[in-house]
Amino acid sequence: MGALQGRGVSDRRLKRPRPEPGAFFFRWMRGAGLGLALALGLVLAPATLGAQETDTVRLGAPDTVAPAPADSFMLVDSIIEPDDTVTVERDVEDSLAAEPPPRLVPLPLPPPVEPGFAEGVWVWQRAALLRSTALSLGDLLERVPSLTRVRAGYYTQPELVVSPVALSGDIEVLLDGFPLDPLTSTTIDLSRIGLTDLERVRVERRGGRLRIELFSLEHPFPRGGFGTPGDSGSAYTRVEIATGDLDTDGLAGAFMAPRFLFGPFAVAISRLDSDGVLRREPGRSSSAWIRWGLLRPSWGVHAEYRRASVEREEGSAFPGEAMREDIVVRARARPFEFLTAELYGGHSEVDDVFLDSPSTELAITHFGLRTAYDRGPIGTRAALRFRNGDTRLDMAGEIAADVRPVSWAGVAGELRYEDWEGASFSSWVASGRLGPWLGARLFAEVTDGAHGLAWLVRPEGTPGVERALQRAGVDWVLGGWRLGVAAFRAEGDSVAPAALPGIGPSGSGSRVLSLYPGFEVGGVEAMFRVPLGFDPVGLEGSYTRLSAGDDGVHALFQPVEQARAAVVYHDLPLDSDQLEIELRLEGEYRGEMRAPGAEPGSVQTIEPINRLNFDLSIRVLDVHAYVSWQNILNWQDLNDLPGRTMPGQTAYFGVKWEMWN
């Protein structure tokens, strides 16, 4: 459990047989049977746990969420949706309102800012995640303007997302504030992260970094059979099943009991299988999550365990097995309404065994402190983190403030300090916003300094890179119209390769990697929403164009051009709000971009691609059914990496439903 450590070469091999041709029907029946068994087990589980309510209740209207407002964009809700509510009528005299179950004290990090284009923040709430047709986190994130999704193959194969200037070590993934260090690469493999146990996903592009914040599923109170006043409500179950082309099958479920052994209890499992391109790259990804807490109105303690694994057979981008485990214990307290603090500790382990490559088993322990203050026009946050390095205790700290002296102006700043393996780095971010005036807001942001790459050591022994960024523009919202435009310029002294198994020069087990030369790039990005004259149909889209510096060279995974345009219909057509429909027909274009070549330090050019996609999601009461049809026109030779051709047109469909036991 000590410092990072490597192991020798393993001769373990995968032994799972290939499915026989024509077995799709039988696999689907098997998946449906497993789903039915899982649903039945989760429904009956509350009786075993003592959480089942025996009172008969009559439910009012189901959970409903108003359709995304006119200024929403790209299926990413640009405002935080209110908690779902429901009316419950009981056959008792003097019906009393039930008290909500205790939740882990919320910790607003970073300071609350309204998600939007100006702030560079996009958020999916629980209702938006349920409406989404995404099977993976990558499906979700590719809708964010200017982000580029890079895939080594179809589902279960390695993938990542990149934003302008944010490369490799510039990408952070946080789980309820706990950093998910990649350990064996410079960025985390998104194919290993499921969506079933997530309550919210927040994406922040700021200071030349891309921060992906994942928030664990919370009990969606209120709903279902309540007991006497003070009872914490009924258990909650979610089940998801999906199937589609290329023998792609998904099964997931989550169960939450508001009160079990003095506190809330939650568990979730998920699995996704696919035979991949031409059915020659079979793979499976699975995850499990369990959490228990002891919560009170002003403080709380909880512990959780997560396990994610992936298996890829021969023919895949990087065949082999990989497993990751994370154990986190945290305590939060809110002594005052405006002040919250958290102390956490966690341990992460990764065990990768890839064919024809050394196996790698790494472990790391880290702990930290986070605080947040938000009162009136001032919001601040601070975080301090320690982790066991190779030879010493590493440290990283940050402090940020957001000041809103008047309703039409605000300024924000952030300072970072890092000490990895004896090398120190510091950086700062400053931003300002003015408006709105007639619906328009002006904004600007400046970043400078260096930051460390805790899991990457440069050949000369300095694990860090220099970055500078300037971004400014306008965000205009008026009625159903929206337009955001920004110009930016960035430069860096070097670029860390992706080093993700199957995507970059990884697999040797070495953390010493050669960096690519520095870059200088300018660009413009835009997003828009235009009503089409009959509500609730609108035209949404985004556009990004980059121009290289004096050397004429673009950074890795930075397309010269990117564009998306979609006709979107989203409505609740019935007065009862028991029917919700969301339809999306979207065209996608990605221009030429550079990618790592076969040899270390080499670069190859990826040709432009076009796709036309269709997504449909329908909710009836608490059941969500969806269909996703990708690359409708069956354009060929689409790839994100040299020699890694993606499939032509593909389609899958699925069902998600919620139950209150």
Side-chain angles (χ1 to χ4, degrees), residues 565-605:
V567 176
V568 180
Y569 169 87
H570 183 202
D571 193 24
L572 299 166
L574 302 180
D575 293 338
S576 63
D577 292 340
Q578 294 181 348
L579 174 65
E580 183 176 9
I581 303 174
E582 186 168 37
L583 181 149
R584 184 182 195 88
L585 181 63
E586 179 181 67
E588 171 191 354
Y589 170 77
R590 192 196 68 204
E592 182 181 282
M593 73 175 183
R594 289 158 39 101
E599 299 297 327
S602 65
V603 174
Q604 287 188 246
T605 299

Side-chain angles (χ1 to χ4, degrees), residues 21-42:
F24 174 82
F25 174 77
F26 297 100
R27 293 198 61 181
W28 164 239
M29 292 299 294
R30 181 182 61 189
L34 288 174
L36 181 60
L38 175 64
L40 181 61
L42 293 179

Side-chain angles (χ1 to χ4, degrees), residues 137-138 141 147 159-162 166-183 185-195 197-198 200-204 209-216 306 308 324 326 328 330 344 348 366 370 385 387 398 416 455 500:
L137 184 60
L141 298 181
L147 289 196
E159 66 176 300
L160 65 120
V161 292
V162 178
L167 296 163
S168 306
D170 304 318
I171 302 174
E172 301 174 320
V173 179
L174 305 179
L175 177 63
D176 295 324
F178 180 78
L180 295 180
D181 285 348
L183 299 182
S185 58
T186 56
T187 186
I188 201 163
D189 184 356
L190 297 182
S191 69
R192 308 187 190 187
I193 301 178
L195 296 174
D197 55 3
L198 297 182
R200 183 159 59 107
V201 176
R202 183 180 187 274
V203 178
E204 176 182 310
R209 286 195 176 197
L210 176 65
R211 173 174 286 181
I212 303 170
E213 296 181 275
L214 310 176
F215 299 86
S216 297
R306 289 178 180 266
R324 179 188 179 105
D326 295 281
V328 185
R330 57 165 50 86
Y344 70 83
S348 302
H366 45 173
R370 304 192 300 159
R385 171 196 175 200
R387 53 164 277 182
E398 63 182 55
R416 285 176 176 246
W455 43 89
L500 188 66

Side-chain angles (χ1 to χ4, degrees), residues 111-442:
V113 293
E114 180 181 348
F117 181 80
E119 291 78 10
V121 176
W122 289 265
V123 175
W124 287 265
Q125 295 286 45
R126 184 177 69 93
L129 291 174
L130 284 170
R131 290 197 309 268
S132 171
T133 63
L135 289 183
S136 69
L137 184 60
D139 285 346
L140 208 64
L141 298 181
E142 70 175 353
R143 295 279 176 83
V144 177
S146 300
L147 289 196
T148 303
R149 184 184 187 185
V150 180
R151 308 173 70 179
Y154 200 52
Y155 289 115
T156 74
Q157 303 302 318
E159 66 176 300
L160 65 120
V161 292
V162 178
S163 74
V165 194
L167 296 163
S168 306
D170 304 318
I171 302 174
E172 301 174 320
V173 179
L174 305 179
L175 177 63
D176 295 324
F178 180 78
L180 295 180
D181 285 348
L183 299 182
T184 58
S185 58
T186 56
T187 186
I188 201 163
D189 184 356
L190 297 182
S191 69
R192 308 187 190 187
I193 301 178
L195 296 174
T196 304
D197 55 3
L198 297 182
E199 174 83 8
R200 183 159 59 107
V201 176
R202 183 180 187 274
V203 178
E204 176 182 310
R205 295 177 3 203
R206 180 158 304 175
R209 286 195 176 197
L210 176 65
R211 173 174 286 181
I212 303 170
E213 296 181 275
L214 310 176
F215 299 86
S216 297
L217 191 65
E218 295 284 356
H219 190 284
F221 185 88
R223 182 66 194 220
F226 302 112
T228 57
D231 193 357
S232 57
S234 59
Y236 168 78
T237 303
R238 178 189 298 179
V239 179
E240 302 180 11
I241 294 178
T243 188
D245 292 338
L246 303 176
D247 210 4
T248 301
D249 298 313
L251 175 64
F255 169 76
M256 309 189 75
R259 183 174 296 175
F260 173 64
L261 294 179
F262 313 108
F265 170 81
V267 61
I269 60 172
S270 65
R271 180 182 174 94
L272 182 63
D273 295 67
S274 178
D275 279 351
V277 180
L278 300 177
R279 296 180 179 266
R280 296 175 181 173
E281 301 179 353
R284 294 158 300 284
S285 62
S286 59
S287 64
W289 169 66
I290 185 170
R291 183 179 68 180
W292 176 86
L294 178 61
L295 309 182
R296 293 297 180 265
S298 60
W299 61 273
V301 178
H302 85 189
E304 66 180 296
Y305 167 79
R306 289 178 180 266
R307 178 190 175 101
S309 63
V310 62
E311 301 176 27
R312 305 185 185 109
E313 298 187 18
E314 293 190 53
S316 300
F318 213 75
E321 302 177 4
M323 184 273 295
R324 179 188 179 105
E325 294 179 302
D326 295 281
I327 301 175
V328 185
V329 178
R330 57 165 50 86
R332 292 180 183 175
R334 174 166 282 180
F336 306 101
E337 184 63 27
F338 53 85
L339 180 64
T340 311
E342 176 190 82
L343 181 65
Y344 70 83
H347 182 79
S348 302
E349 290 189 8
V350 174
D351 185 5
D352 291 353
V353 182
F354 294 112
L355 304 185
D356 304 320
S357 297
S359 65
T360 305
E361 184 175 353
L362 300 175
I364 190 173
T365 300
H366 45 173
F367 57 92
L369 172 68
R370 304 192 300 159
T371 62
Y373 171 93
D374 188 14
R375 189 173 191 180
I378 299 177
T380 64
R381 66 177 169 89
L384 186 62
R385 171 196 175 200
F386 298 91
R387 53 164 277 182
N388 59 317
D390 290 343
T391 59
R392 62 197 300 274
L393 193 66
D394 294 332
M395 184 269 287
E398 63 182 55
I399 182 170
D402 189 8
V403 182
R404 306 169 295 275
V406 291
S407 61
W408 49 268
V411 295
E414 179 178 322
L415 294 174
R416 285 176 176 246
Y417 177 80
E418 302 163 286
D419 190 337
W420 304 120
E421 297 298 322
S424 299
F425 308 94
S426 61
S427 61
W428 57 269
V429 181
S431 62
R433 302 179 298 277
L434 292 175
W437 296 299
L438 298 177
R441 291 190 303 159
L442 303 177

Side-chain angles (χ1 to χ4, degrees), residues 434-657:
L434 292 175
W437 296 299
L438 298 177
R441 291 190 303 159
L442 303 177
F443 60 89
E445 176 185 331
V446 179
T447 301
D448 201 0
H451 66 83
L453 305 176
W455 43 89
L456 172 66
V457 179
R458 298 172 71 162
E460 63 271 24
T462 305
V465 296
E466 296 277 351
R467 286 286 191 273
L469 169 71
Q470 303 88 42
R471 178 176 181 259
V474 59
D475 188 7
W476 177 71
V477 179
L478 189 62
W481 295 75
R482 178 161 192 175
L483 175 65
V485 179
F488 59 89
R489 187 166 189 82
E491 58 183 327
D493 70 335
S494 55
V495 177
L500 188 66
I503 292 183
S506 181
S508 64
S510 173
R511 296 171 61 235
V512 181
L513 299 174
S514 299
L515 303 189
Y516 287 78
F519 67 94
E520 181 179 344
V521 62
V524 61
E525 59 178 345
M527 53 78 66
F528 61 88
R529 188 185 193 281
V530 178
L532 294 182
F534 45 98
D535 196 53
V537 180
L539 178 66
E540 300 179 352
S542 65
Y543 177 77
T544 304
R545 182 172 180 83
L546 303 180
S547 58
D550 296 337
D551 57 4
V553 176
H554 288 277
L556 298 177
F557 300 126
Q558 299 293 295
V560 176
E561 261 185 314
Q562 287 192 93
R564 286 178 177 269
V567 176
V568 180
Y569 169 87
H570 183 202
D571 193 24
L572 299 166
L574 302 180
D575 293 338
S576 63
D577 292 340
Q578 294 181 348
L579 174 65
E580 183 176 9
I581 303 174
E582 186 168 37
L583 181 149
R584 184 182 195 88
L585 181 63
E586 179 181 67
E588 171 191 354
Y589 170 77
R590 192 196 68 204
E592 182 181 282
M593 73 175 183
R594 289 158 39 101
E599 299 297 327
S602 65
V603 174
Q604 287 188 246
T605 299
I606 305 297
E607 297 299 320
I609 67 172
N610 291 277
R611 293 198 309 170
L612 181 65
N613 308 318
F614 172 82
D615 293 280
L616 173 64
S617 175
I618 300 176
R619 176 184 62 81
V620 179
L621 295 177
D622 301 317
V623 179
H624 299 253
Y626 64 89
V627 175
S628 181
W629 185 6
Q630 304 294 304
N631 193 12
I632 295 174
L633 301 181
N634 200 29
W635 277 309
Q636 301 296 309
D637 300 325
L638 309 183
N639 59 349
D640 301 338
L641 294 167
R644 301 297 305 163
T645 301
M646 298 297 293
Q649 67 171 345
T650 57
Y652 59 85
F653 62 92
V655 179
K656 310 175 187 178
W657 67 93

